[in-house]
Amino acid sequence: MVEKKTRDHLVAKSDEEWRKTLSPEQYRVLREHGTERAGTSPLNAEKRKGVFLCAGCGMPLFDSNTKYESGSGWPSFYAPREEAVETTVDKSHLMTRTEVHCANCGGHLGHVFPDGPKPTGERYCMNGAALKFEQK
């Protein structure tokens, strides 16, 4: 996993604008780096063909064919779409993890771990509150 530096984002809103457009849970996850409780997102069981979008800005992030059941309690994917996400080092909670952000708006999506399936070996463990699903 190569860390990508966060850059200026195409979608930039004030805190007040984000609060108006997101639910309280989406705001907590996307803007305050929160984590939803495991097993609470309906997207964890989503099996239809489609694309998972950023709930903050609508950027297409993950194709449904990269989603798999990781047993973690969060929607998991083995690869994002090209140029869709960025990563940073997260040293909170007395551990070092790789945090995943939307490349378009900078919203916190979740974390990526090196214990996923082939072909990438990565597990993008995403908060369902940070995503929307669009069926194809």
Side-chain angles (χ1 to χ4, degrees), residues 61-63 66-68 77-81 119-120 122-124:
L61 302 172
F62 298 93
D63 292 318
T66 66
K67 185 175 185 291
Y68 71 100
F77 306 85
Y78 63 77
R81 284 182 149 206
T120 65
E122 295 179 329
R123 173 174 52 100
Y124 285 82

Side-chain angles (χ1 to χ4, degrees), residues 27-62:
Y27 181 86
R28 188 181 72 78
V29 170
L30 285 162
R31 308 316 307 170
E32 296 180 331
H33 303 262
T35 300
E36 68 193 7
R37 281 188 5 255
T40 60
S41 174
L43 293 181
N44 199 34
E46 181 59 65
K47 307 245 186 278
R48 296 174 293 173
K49 289 185 180 186
V51 64
F52 292 84
L53 313 169
C54 175
C57 69
M59 170 87 160
L61 302 172
F62 298 93

Side-chain angles (χ1 to χ4, degrees), residues 89-110:
V89 174
D90 174 5
K91 293 188 177 188
S92 65
H93 305 290
L94 303 172
M95 63 182 112
T96 301
R97 300 177 292 172
T98 303
E99 186 173 358
V100 180
H101 306 270
C102 173
N104 200 41
C105 71
H108 167 75
L109 303 171

